[in-house]
Amino acid sequence: MTPEEFRAAGYDLIDLIADYLEGVDQRRVVPDISPGDVRAMLPERPPAAPESWSQVRADVDRVVLPTLSHWQHPNWFAYFPANTTYSSILGELLSAGLGVQGMSWVTSPACTEIETLMLDWMLELLDLPDRFRSTSEHGGGVIQGSASEATLVAILAARWRATGGAVNADGDTTKLVAYTTSQAHSSIEKGLRIAGVGTYRLRIVDHLDDTFAMRPASLAAAVAADLAAGLTPFFVCSTHGTTSSMAFDPTTDIAEVCERHDLWLHVDGAMSGIAALTPEFRWVNDGLDRADSYCTNPHKWMGVNFDCTLFWTADRRALLGALSILPEYLRSAAAESGAAIDYRDWQVPLGRRFRALKLWFNLRLDGVGSAQERIRRDVGLTDELARWVANDDRFEIVAPHPLNLVCLRLAGQLNEVTDELIDTVNAAGEFHVTRTVLDGVSALRVSVGSRTTEREHVARLWAELQRIARLLVPDEDDTGELRLGI
Ligand code: PLP
């Protein structure tokens, strides 16, 4: 491809992206296709000769767009959002265009220093504790690809600290024990497996029946039992906004236990932590001043496109102890002077993209006010939906809804009936929701946070849920009116 062809295709591509995002509401939310259908639309053999942009573009229109699940669709109520913004898309494009690989300061000083600055900006915007600031004695932050990677590096740092670094030499993880609840994200267990601790040494701490939040007394008891058995408790994950139901573990009380026994306290605020951009939701930060590490994802709710996870630690010595390795070919005077950060030592891979650009562009071109507006809008819509649900006795809300997730079920029905509600609403392709199970109870999750979701979309989803509920659970006294409660 020549520079001239690149310029022409680039204009076309930007149009394509803008047209896609502006028209995404006209599409089915998820495609009606089966595994293998996409591949069958493309040639089995690679092209024998270069093709033109228009040929490639034609296949984007013919193959890619119709077979996507549309996360930016206003009727996307599934999982947690992964919303994007034009400003962050520009940052992503520039990152690809500059093609730098910022594994160390010397391999691209701007990549490193803008990232450090963004972590400090976000610390201020989220009102996080100063112990995470890059200029603090032992703290600092880094952009990871995902909350799962953030959890993994937290576990590795904790493992290093608990063994006084010995694990790097002898690899002995046999006595280490970690703690979280059954509501925590599966990435905790995955991280422990990767770290050689395994599922076997993950203690599932009890949670409260109504809020799904960890019981600190149960944590204390589990830690005491493990200590008495000669094991080494080393890591606790407290979640601020669980994936299933958006439960908040009581981090301040959990921190008491952790401090007593010098356990690493990681707080996973992957989805909900971003709410702290708005002052009235700063309660999501409760207890962070006592955490060893914390992560939250601008790529979920803030509008900075995937992938962008912010990870902070108050103990970068442990992180660097666990992850820094210095082969001769990576030595640099800058790093040896101690004045420069080499982010390769803060993450699992060596190489890294210039992800800070999309955050920087977003904060400058859209401003934090735009994210605050969206957060308030989404929480407001969720509250409104919860009121409609509460006013309809066919339905039941099964968990608190502190921010932008409502979990509901058909009241008094078997799980299978709620499962059928979920399958039916998804099958039509107009909306997309996901299912969870909370202590054995099937629930339909409505997660509000897509870029373009407005009140009308939530209201239409609610009307559709009511319509299906009437079919699944006929009510003899039903007048046939939809009880919208709007
Ligand atoms: N933690 C929580 C609470 C989550 O909700 C999720 C994903 O939804 C994750 C971790 C994993 O996120 P990621 O895809 O960034 O690894």
Side-chain angles (χ1 to χ4, degrees):
M1 198 171 202
T2 66
E4 292 69 32
E5 286 168 335
F6 168 69
R7 280 176 202 277
Y11 287 123
D12 190 41
L13 182 63
I14 295 286
D15 279 342
L16 182 156
I17 294 169
D19 290 345
Y20 169 73
L21 287 175
E22 295 314 301
V24 70
D25 59 333
Q26 303 303 312
R27 298 174 182 267
R28 256 186 85 101
V29 186
V30 291
D32 185 15
I33 58 171
S34 304
D37 285 356
V38 180
R39 181 166 177 156
M41 294 165 82
L42 292 166
E44 274 300 317
R45 307 296 316 278
E51 298 177 81
S52 66
W53 163 249
S54 59
Q55 286 171 299
V56 175
R57 161 78 206 250
D59 275 350
V60 172
D61 290 332
R62 178 183 70 88
V63 181
V64 179
L65 299 186
T67 60
L68 290 177
S69 297
H70 301 288
W71 285 70
Q72 308 308 314
H73 197 295
N75 290 341
W76 181 271
F77 297 105
Y79 309 101
F80 277 145
N83 57 29
T84 189
T85 46
Y86 291 117
S87 55
S88 75
I89 295 168
L90 288 177
E92 187 73 68
L93 278 175
L94 182 59
S95 168
L98 299 179
V100 300
Q101 203 274 58
M103 59 188 171
S104 58
W105 180 87
V106 77
T107 64
S108 201
C111 182
T112 298
E113 293 195 19
I114 294 178
E115 182 160 331
T116 310
L117 182 66
M118 285 311 100
L119 268 296
D120 285 346
W121 278 15
M122 285 300 292
L123 183 111
E124 195 171 313
L125 293 169
L126 292 166
D127 198 23
L128 296 177
D130 262 348
R131 66 206 299 247
F132 294 145
R133 196 179 283 281
S134 68
T135 49
S136 66
E137 196 181 354
H138 297 303
V142 60
I143 300 181
Q144 304 276 349
S146 68
S148 307
E149 289 168 59
T151 301
L152 174 59
V153 298
I155 291 169
L156 296 175
R159 195 180 74 153
W160 185 90
R161 193 169 79 184
T163 60
V167 71
N168 285 359
D170 63 20
D172 185 4
T173 55
T174 51
K175 287 198 166 1
L176 300 177
V177 193
Y179 306 81
T180 195
T181 72
S182 61
Q183 305 299 300
H185 192 261
S186 56
S187 52
I188 317 301
E189 183 176 343
K190 192 187 261 190
L192 290 165
R193 286 191 203 171
I194 297 169
V197 176
T199 301
Y200 176 63
R201 291 268 194 247
L202 171 60
R203 303 282 183 254
I204 300 300
V205 180
D206 293 343
H207 58 261
L208 294 165
D209 294 342
D210 50 348
T211 61
F212 303 96
M214 187 189 287
R215 291 176 190 264
S218 301
L219 172 67
V223 170
D226 285 325
L227 286 170
L231 297 172
T232 310
F234 83 111
F235 177 82
V236 179
C237 178
S238 169
T239 309
H240 285 190
T242 59
T243 319
S244 258
S245 72
M246 201 165 268
F248 279 76
D249 289 330
T251 296
T252 302
D253 296 340
I254 292 170
E256 294 281 341
V257 181
C258 294
E259 284 165 8
R260 219 176 300 143
H261 302 290
D262 195 22
L263 314 185
W264 186 284
L265 174 56
H266 176 64
V267 179
D268 177 4
M271 160 68 204
S272 304
I274 288 299
L277 289 175
T278 48
E280 65 270 35
F281 299 129
R282 296 257 158 93
W283 55 263
V284 301
N285 292 341
D286 284 356
L288 290 184
D289 51 334
R290 295 166 76 177
D292 292 289
S293 55
Y294 177 58
C295 82
T296 187
N297 288 357
H299 71 227
K300 282 188 161 60
W301 201 9
M302 184 178 163
V304 176
N305 62 279
F306 190 83
D307 52 349
C308 185
T309 290
L310 307 180
F311 173 77
W312 285 275
T313 180
D315 185 0
R316 65 171 181 265
R317 293 160 307 178
L319 185 67
L320 296 178
L323 295 175
S324 88
I325 294 183
L326 187 59
E328 283 302 322
Y329 49 83
L330 291 179
R331 279 188 185 283
S332 75
E336 270 156 43
S337 75
I341 291 179
D342 282 351
Y343 275 129
R344 67 190 163 80
D345 293 337
W346 295 56
Q347 60 174 26
V348 174
L350 171 65
R352 57 202 327 277
R353 305 188 303 114
F354 201 161
R355 283 186 288 233
L357 282 175
K358 54 192 173 189
L359 190 51
W360 192 41
F361 279 24
N362 177 261
L363 289 172
R364 296 188 62 186
L365 295 169
D366 287 334
V368 70
S370 135
Q372 289 171 333
E373 211 174 283
R374 247 191 340 268
I375 290 164
R376 291 188 175 114
R377 177 198 68 184
D378 294 343
V379 176
L381 291 175
T382 308
D383 282 346
E384 203 167 3
L385 172 64
R387 279 199 298 279
W388 301 339
V389 177
N391 281 335
D392 187 331
D393 52 20
R394 267 183 299 234
F395 290 87
E396 184 185 355
I397 293 180
V398 294
H401 50 91
L403 294 167
N404 60 336
L405 178 74
V406 180
C407 294
L408 54 93
R409 68 187 294 264
L410 286 166
Q413 302 296 320
L414 294 173
N415 281 347
E416 288 74 9
V417 189
T418 295
D419 292 347
E420 206 173 337
L421 171 70
I422 297 166
D423 290 345
T424 311
V425 72
N426 282 340
E430 189 186 350
F431 304 97
H432 199 48
V433 297
T434 34
R435 169 180 180 267
T436 193
V437 177
L438 291 164
D439 287 348
V441 172
S442 262
L444 182 156
R445 297 167 74 263
V446 181
S447 156
V448 182
S450 186
R451 192 181 67 98
T452 48
T453 300
E454 296 292 348
R455 188 173 186 272
E456 64 187 276
H457 304 104
V458 179
R460 279 216 305 275
L461 170 68
W462 174 231
E464 180 62 1
L465 293 177
Q466 288 190 304
R467 188 188 69 77
I468 300 168
R470 287 180 56 230
L471 298 175
L472 292 176
V473 190
D475 178 349
E476 283 171 13
D477 303 330
D478 202 326
T479 60
E481 294 282 309
L482 290 183
R483 284 176 258 167
L484 288 175
I486 301 176

